[in-house]
Amino acid sequence: CENFSIKGFDVNVSKKDMLMYLKNDKPDIIIGATGTSIFDASDLSSLGGEHVYHFLSISSSDREFPVASFRDGNNKKVHNDVVYKNFVFVNNGFPITFLGLKYESTPAEMEKTIALLMGSVLHGATRGFGGGEGLIDVPKELEDLINE
């Protein structure tokens, strides 16, 4: 991406370190994928008002960023971006994949996702956790079996 600053943060990085990075390096886009609250309104106010930050969530809700405190009468529609000072909360702070439909995917896609998750859990349980090696690859045979 031209003229964009991209950086990833592990879950073990402190909020102080993340805020310091945002303040100093001024990335254009911040993507939240934790499913928990990352910043509150006072944290964002410490960033200053010159640079425009775009906050995108790819988790399961609007918890990542303090968008609820910035919604007003003009920002009540689900898919409107919430703009407050120099902060833009894309898709009203909800995950960018959230369309507001009753079901976001077909029943077959939901079943496949559940089967892949369950297969991964069972594979991990039979393989053993606690080795500290991070993510465990699911064998291709298991993925192919579920995808049939």
Side-chain angles (χ1 to χ4, degrees):
C1 293
E2 289 185 36
N3 301 318
F4 285 96
S5 174
I6 301 170
K7 181 157 180 154
F9 283 96
D10 192 274
V11 294
N12 295 324
V13 174
S14 73
K15 178 166 66 169
K16 179 182 172 187
D17 289 340
M18 285 189 279
L19 286 169
M20 186 64 70
Y21 168 74
L22 295 178
K23 189 173 186 170
N24 293 336
D25 288 33
K26 297 178 178 25
D28 299 301
I29 299 171
I30 298 93
I31 300 173
T34 66
T36 61
S37 177
I38 299 173
F39 306 118
D40 58 34
S42 64
D43 293 328
L44 296 182
S45 66
S46 72
L47 297 177
E50 315 86 45
H51 183 73
V52 177
Y53 297 92
H54 293 80
F55 295 93
L56 284 83
S57 174
I58 59 170
S59 68
S60 59
S61 75
D62 65 343
R63 286 188 279 272
E64 244 90 22
F65 310 112
V67 64
S69 60
F70 302 128
R71 289 183 182 125
D72 61 23
N74 298 320
N75 295 313
K76 294 293 184 185
K77 290 192 177 182
V78 173
H79 301 293
N80 285 358
D81 293 344
V82 173
V83 179
Y84 177 78
K85 296 184 180 180
N86 56 315
F87 308 117
V88 178
F89 301 94
V90 177
N91 200 31
N92 212 320
F94 289 101
I96 57 172
T97 57
F98 177 68
L99 302 175
L101 304 173
K102 184 173 182 180
Y103 298 107
E104 298 294 328
S105 57
T106 67
E109 291 170 325
M110 287 185 238
E111 287 175 355
K112 185 182 284 189
T113 300
I114 292 167
L116 286 166
L117 288 169
M118 188 62 185
S120 299
V121 168
L122 293 173
H123 173 67
T126 58
R127 183 177 181 281
F129 296 109
E133 65 269 355
L135 297 176
I136 300 170
D137 288 331
V138 176
K140 181 85 171 104
E141 320 71 78
L142 177 60
E143 188 176 337
D144 290 344
L145 178 66
I146 292 169
N147 282 320
E148 287 181 352

